[in-house]
């Protein structure tokens, strides 16, 4: 286990029911009188966008809105977004919605002050100028994008998810309001909740894990594993929703500092080639890769089993059994076959996963191409 020489900053956080009412105060604090909302159709349909923009209007803050963010935004869509939004005279950007909306807001804020195209900034530490202030208002408990230095985009040409990684795009503020998550359907609650859990699980066994990231990862695992089924079955349970938001946020801090590993690397080609939603792709690959990784970190997987189940008398393999149980209870597909993946795609999937070297290098066990083929085979 390595120890980072520095810890990434975190946003100023407002948490609790109706904490979105703090947005006028936040914007006045940074002297922003006009703001751009980046969001998707669900925030429009739920009334969340209208509710928040009316609140800002009452406080003499003008709002522009881009509400066409897709669930899995592509480079082309983000370019279209920027063409539409760059002419707006705004002093801050708000990402309202799931991880895709927050990720898109981070990209928009950066490219307001850094000219060029989205492709110019794919990679690590490519952003030069400080972005516009970023405020993240997540409406799902999933990606933890409200506290990370990463924005994920889909590259249709390479059929792969790619990342813009820069400390400059860590949001300045995060508003964690569980009332904004109550309208999310069970299927989305399951997929995003498992995504958050996987962030914490992978961060805990990552090669770059530290005492700092461990603290947040373990608390996130506890919060999510104790509340995900309640949030899924009882969507109006505000306490479960709040705990899921907090768990997702803490998981974000954990993986922002420790990184994730092979589960995400193997999920990226599923999203890029087949359009499988990120949380589902991660969840389907999770049990297989946990089994593969146990021999690389048995002591840590034993601790994971204890945290997941709440039982200290567990073995490392119980961690795999428990996440498999969660996936079943959340009605998540049990394998690649259920997702409609063709076995003829194995070579392409393995090649795609092996290209995600940034994540594979952080995995607790080394993976080669032959391993990748076997892992995808096992996931069927």
């Amino acid at each position: 286990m390595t120890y980072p020489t520095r810890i990434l900053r975190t946003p100023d956080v407002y948490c609790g029911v109706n904490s979105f009412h703090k947005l006028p105060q936040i914007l006045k604090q940074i002297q922003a009188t006009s703001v751009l909302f980046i969001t998707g159709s669900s925030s429009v349909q739920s009334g969340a966008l209208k509710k928040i923009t009316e609140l800002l209007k009452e406080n003499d803050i003008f709002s522009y809105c881009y509400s066409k963010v897709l669930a899995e935004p592509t480079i082309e869509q983000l370019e279209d977004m920027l063409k539409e939004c760059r002419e707006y005279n705004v002093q801050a950007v708000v990402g309202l919605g799931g991880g895709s909306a927050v990720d898109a807001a981070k990209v928009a804020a950066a490219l307001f002050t850094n000219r060029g195209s989205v492709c110019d900034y794919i990679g690590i530490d490519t952003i030069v100028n400080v972005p516009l202030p970023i405020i993240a208002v997540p409406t799902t408990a999933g990606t933890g994008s409200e506290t990370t230095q990463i924005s994920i985009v889909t590259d249709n040409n390479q059929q792969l998810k790619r990342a813009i990684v820069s400390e400059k795009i860590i949001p300045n503020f995060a508003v964690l309001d569980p009332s904004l998550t109550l309208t999310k359907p069970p299927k989305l609650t399951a997929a995003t909740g498992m995504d958050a859990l996987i962030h914490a699980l992978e961060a805990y066994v990552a090669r770059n894990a530290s005492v700092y990231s461990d603290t947040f990862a373990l608390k996130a695992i506890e919060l999510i594993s104790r509340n995900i089924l309640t949030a899924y079955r009882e969507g109006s349970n505000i306490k479960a929703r709040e705990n899921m938001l907090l768990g997702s946020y803490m998981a974000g801090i954990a993986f922002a500092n420790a990184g994730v590993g092979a589960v995400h690397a193997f999920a990226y080609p599923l999203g890029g080639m087949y359009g499988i939603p990120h949380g589902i792709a991660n969840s389907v690959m999770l049990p297989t890769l946990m089994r593969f990784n146990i021999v690389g970190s048995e002591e840590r997987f034993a601790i994971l089993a204890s945290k997941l189940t709440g039982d200290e008398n567990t073995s490392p393999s119980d961690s795999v059994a428990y996440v498999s149980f969660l996936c079943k209870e959340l009605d998540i597909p049990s394998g690649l076959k259920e997702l409609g993946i063709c076995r003829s795609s194995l070579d392409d999937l393995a090649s795609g996963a092996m290209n995600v070297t940034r994540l594979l290098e952080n995995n607790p066990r080394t993976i080669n191409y032959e391993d990748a083929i076997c892992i995808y085979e096992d996931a069927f």
Side-chain angles (χ1 to χ4, degrees), residues 4 7-10 143-144 147-150 196-206 208-221 224 246-260 362:
I7 292 169
L8 293 179
R9 69 173 176 86
T10 56
T143 69
T147 189
T148 72
Q149 74 280 34
I150 303 168
L197 180 60
I198 292 164
H199 289 154
L201 293 172
E202 288 215 281
Y204 186 68
V205 299
N208 289 328
S210 68
V211 171
Y212 180 79
S213 62
D214 286 352
T215 302
F216 287 97
L218 292 174
K219 187 60 180 179
I221 291 165
I224 296 168
L246 285 169
S248 175
Y249 174 76
M250 291 180 182
I253 295 175
F255 94 82
N257 286 275
V260 289
N362 196 35

Side-chain angles (χ1 to χ4, degrees), residues 270 274 284-285 288 291 334-346 349 373-380:
L270 296 175
Y274 286 93
V284 169
M285 295 307 307
T288 296
R291 278 192 293 270
S334 60
L336 297 179
K337 184 178 181 180
E338 283 189 49
L339 296 177
I341 308 299
C342 302
R343 287 185 180 274
S344 60
S345 300
L346 278 176
L349 288 170
I373 291 287
C374 292
I375 288 167
Y376 277 121
E377 281 274 13
D378 288 345
F380 268 92

Side-chain angles (χ1 to χ4, degrees), residues 24-35:
Q25 175 185 323
I26 293 170
L27 291 166
K28 289 177 180 179
Q29 178 181 332
I30 59 176
Q31 299 181 324
T33 57
S34 64
V35 62

Side-chain angles (χ1 to χ4, degrees), residues 38 66 68-79 81 98-105 107 118 151-156 160-162 278:
I38 302 291
Y66 179 89
K68 297 179 286 188
V69 177
L70 301 174
E72 304 284 336
T74 64
I75 291 172
E76 292 79 9
Q77 197 221 356
L78 292 180
E79 293 288 3
M81 175 189 74
S100 295
V102 176
D103 278 4
V107 173
V118 174
S151 284
I152 300 295
V153 299
T154 298
D155 185 335
N156 282 334
L160 196 64
K161 298 291 186 72
R162 303 183 71 188
H278 180 64

Side-chain angles (χ1 to χ4, degrees), residues 129-365:
N129 300 321
V130 176
L132 290 180
I134 304 165
I135 304 165
V137 187
T139 62
T140 64
T143 69
S145 183
E146 67 272 11
T147 189
T148 72
Q149 74 280 34
I150 303 168
S151 284
I152 300 295
V153 299
T154 298
D155 185 335
N156 282 334
N157 290 329
Q158 293 196 19
Q159 295 186 313
L160 196 64
K161 298 291 186 72
R162 303 183 71 188
I164 296 171
V165 184
S166 171
E167 292 181 37
K168 292 185 174 70
I169 62 172
I170 297 173
N172 305 88
F173 300 89
V175 177
L176 308 181
D177 188 337
S179 70
L180 298 177
T181 71
L182 294 176
T183 60
K184 300 306 171 187
K187 186 175 180 180
L188 183 62
T189 299
T192 55
M194 283 301 298
D195 189 25
L197 180 60
I198 292 164
H199 289 154
L201 293 172
E202 288 215 281
Y204 186 68
V205 299
R207 292 185 180 181
N208 289 328
S210 68
V211 171
Y212 180 79
S213 62
D214 286 352
T215 302
F216 287 97
L218 292 174
K219 187 60 180 179
I221 291 165
E222 181 181 324
L223 283 168
I224 296 168
S225 64
R226 303 293 184 278
N227 289 277
I228 189 169
L229 292 179
T230 302
Y232 174 72
R233 294 165 178 165
E234 306 169 24
S236 62
N237 188 312
I238 197 74
K239 189 61 180 177
R241 293 289 194 177
E242 183 172 26
N243 285 335
M244 288 298 294
L245 266 181
L246 285 169
S248 175
Y249 174 76
M250 291 180 182
I253 295 175
F255 94 82
N257 286 275
V260 289
V263 175
H264 276 72
F266 277 68
Y268 283 171
L270 296 175
M273 292 173 61
Y274 286 93
I276 306 299
H278 180 64
I280 298 298
N282 273 338
S283 299
V284 169
M285 295 307 307
L286 178 63
T288 296
L289 276 156
M290 286 180 71
R291 278 192 293 270
F292 179 88
N293 281 332
I294 281 176
V295 298
S297 190
E298 287 194 20
E299 182 179 347
R300 291 205 152 225
F301 275 92
I303 293 171
L304 287 183
S306 176
K307 279 292 179 182
L308 284 164
T309 63
D311 182 359
E312 293 185 2
N313 299 314
T314 52
S315 65
S317 62
D318 289 326
S319 64
V320 183
Y322 195 80
V323 297
S324 298
F325 160 76
L326 282 181
C327 288
K328 182 178 180 180
E329 292 296 305
L330 295 167
D331 201 26
I332 288 172
S334 60
L336 297 179
K337 184 178 181 180
E338 283 189 49
L339 296 177
I341 308 299
C342 302
R343 287 185 180 274
S344 60
S345 300
L346 278 176
D347 287 342
D348 291 336
L349 288 170
S351 296
M354 293 307 297
N355 283 333
V356 193
T357 54
R358 176 177 63 90
L359 304 187
L360 293 180
E361 289 171 356
N362 196 35
N363 196 62
R365 184 178 174 190

